[in-house]
Amino acid sequence: MNLEKGFLEKKIDPSLDLFKEISHLKKTKNAIILAHYYQDADIQDIADYIGDSLGLAQQAEKTQADIILFAGVHFMAETAKILNPKTKVLIPDLKAGCSLADSCPPNEFNAFKATHPDHIVLTYINCTADIKALSDVIVTSTNAVQIVESFPKDQKIIFTPDKNLGAYINKVTGRNMVLWNGSCMVHEIFSLEKLIKLKAQHPKALILAHPECEAAILEYADFIGSTTAILNYSKKSEAQEFIVLTETGIIHQMQKASPSKTFIPAPPNNSCACNDCPHMKLNTLEKIYIALKYEQPELLMSDELIEKSKKPINKMLELSAKFGL
Ligand code: 13P
Ligand code: SF4
């Protein structure tokens, strides 16, 4: 069965109520949909759980479902499979990758690691399973600072793949982690000049930023945190207006939680919608319907890679539970 050349090109009957069809498929197949905040609003609305990378990994590990439909990108679906290998993991579009994960090729990273033999490797979850297998502990933007601080001050650390998140952690913790030179295409696109102008037009707006943004942008932020942290901050804050420096998908949940507040997506440094992640946005309701119906494309991994990459993820989950995250 060739999904690329067959089903995806086949027209789905436009009269189909995809919400109804997907709900029916979920029930009959004991499937759940896990969706990241960067998914389109309609995908978030049909999901059983919407969350950040840590929350999604925790849900994937504990689900009793027979099928996980992962509405996110490849490394997230891979993490779900690693944590719950007996469950069938479907991904609506296998091409949904990640520029940050791509910025850390395993061969090059392994050679880099070899030049720092006395360092441990802390790795942002936004990487391939091969990179996870070369790591000591995985972190997400929710737990990175606490995990770094759980190591002695003199512990030598390599942090990969995001240099912006790494620099932010170094600043907050006073560490001097060696940083791999990777970055996210979405979070590097924000224009400082346009942000300053926007803030001048909305002086009461608070600036909320994801730590994948560059240091010069983070300097201007009133709050820096993971997607979940940004969402929670916007719910609790007394402010009525917010400028949001992360992928635009998160605004759907912010607006749902606080309908009277105004959320302004921060402007990219060009005129396109580059603060939409092109990988996340490959997923559609149509592709989810097809994936659930035909149980393809399925995320498959070797047992050996699952075994090797599971250890550092489990360490992260243990530490997160210890910190109450
Ligand atoms: P979190 O949702 O974990 O903050 O990660 C953001 C991101 O870029 C995911 O690709
Ligand atoms: Fe990767 Fe950035 Fe897209 Fe997240 S937003 S999936 S880090 S490219």
Side-chain angles (χ1 to χ4, degrees):
M1 193 183 296
N2 187 339
L3 278 177
E4 297 304 318
K5 293 203 174 110
F7 296 109
L8 297 185
E9 283 160 19
K10 233 185 219 173
K11 284 225 170 76
I12 296 175
D13 178 354
S15 67
L16 267 189
D17 179 342
L18 287 177
F19 276 86
K20 216 167 120 193
E21 295 296 327
I22 291 170
S23 300
H24 177 69
L25 284 167
K26 281 200 299 185
K27 213 175 278 168
T28 53
K29 296 189 179 223
N30 188 27
I32 56 160
I33 298 182
L34 303 182
H36 189 267
Y37 289 123
Y38 295 165
Q39 293 295 285
D40 278 332
D42 52 2
I43 298 179
Q44 293 188 34
D45 289 343
I46 195 120
D48 298 281
Y49 176 85
I50 314 158
D52 66 3
S53 306
L54 177 62
L56 288 163
Q58 289 165 332
Q59 293 295 320
E61 188 190 33
K62 71 179 184 198
T63 186
Q64 298 293 321
D66 293 318
I67 295 177
I68 295 172
L69 182 296
F70 210 109
V73 291
H74 195 274
F75 77 81
M76 294 178 171
E78 225 174 31
T79 305
K81 185 72 187 171
I82 295 164
L83 288 170
N84 203 334
K86 289 202 182 88
T87 302
K88 187 179 261 191
V89 176
L90 305 174
I91 179 163
D93 191 324
L94 276 173
K95 291 196 291 297
C98 167
S99 67
L100 185 48
D102 290 345
S103 66
C104 192
N107 286 348
E108 286 174 36
F109 181 71
N110 209 11
F112 178 78
K113 186 182 159 181
T115 62
H116 298 82
D118 49 351
H119 290 59
I120 59 162
V121 178
L122 295 197
T123 301
Y124 191 32
I125 199 164
N126 297 31
C127 65
T128 60
D130 290 311
I131 294 294
K132 288 184 175 81
L134 295 169
S135 308
D136 293 293
V137 188
I138 301 302
V139 304
T140 75
S141 47
T142 290
N143 56 29
V145 168
Q146 278 162 290
I147 289 182
V148 169
E149 282 183 331
S150 72
F151 288 96
K153 274 247 176 254
D154 57 354
Q155 173 67 60
K156 290 181 179 166
I157 302 173
I158 295 175
F159 186 82
T160 190
D162 190 2
K163 63 176 176 186
N164 294 318
L165 177 61
Y168 169 71
I169 300 168
N170 273 345
K171 191 174 170 196
V172 171
T173 61
R175 305 282 172 131
N176 189 23
M177 299 187 298
V178 177
L179 308 180
W180 179 260
N181 187 20
S183 61
C184 158
M185 62 193 286
V186 178
H187 290 88
E188 281 212 319
I189 203 81
F190 297 114
S191 157
L192 183 56
E193 206 185 322
K194 288 187 190 172
L195 176 64
I196 293 168
K197 274 189 195 152
L198 192 63
K199 173 74 180 174
Q201 288 158 10
H202 302 269
K204 289 192 180 150
L206 294 185
I207 297 176
L208 313 181
H210 195 280
E212 286 176 30
C213 294
E214 289 174 315
I217 290 273
L218 294 179
E219 285 285 315
Y220 282 83
D222 295 290
F223 178 77
I224 300 167
S226 67
T227 48
T228 299
I230 289 176
L231 171 63
N232 289 341
Y233 183 91
S234 74
K235 286 186 203 171
K236 287 188 197 135
S237 171
E238 301 274 293
Q240 291 302 307
E241 250 187 324
F242 302 88
I243 296 171
V244 182
L245 283 133
T246 189
E247 215 270 358
T248 54
I250 184 75
I251 292 178
H252 181 56
Q253 292 305 320
M254 290 171 139
Q255 201 69 77
K256 260 178 130 172
S258 312
S260 63
K261 296 180 182 175
T262 303
F263 298 97
I264 309 162
N269 59 16
N270 52 31
S271 53
C272 76
C274 296
N275 43 351
D276 275 353
C277 173
H279 308 289
M280 289 277 182
K281 289 335 197 220
L282 279 178
N283 297 330
T284 61
L285 274 191
E286 285 78 5
K287 288 180 190 172
I288 289 174
Y289 166 68
I290 286 166
L292 279 176
K293 187 165 176 177
Y294 298 103
E295 299 184 19
Q296 282 193 51
E298 183 180 357
L299 197 296
L300 297 169
M301 291 176 74
S302 72
D303 292 344
E304 193 193 346
L305 186 55
I306 288 178
E307 219 35 62
K308 280 189 187 155
S309 51
K310 198 178 199 138
K311 280 186 198 152
I313 304 179
N314 277 342
K315 274 194 198 141
M316 171 189 81
L317 293 176
E318 279 161 28
L319 286 168
S320 298
K322 197 171 134 193
F323 303 143
L325 296 170

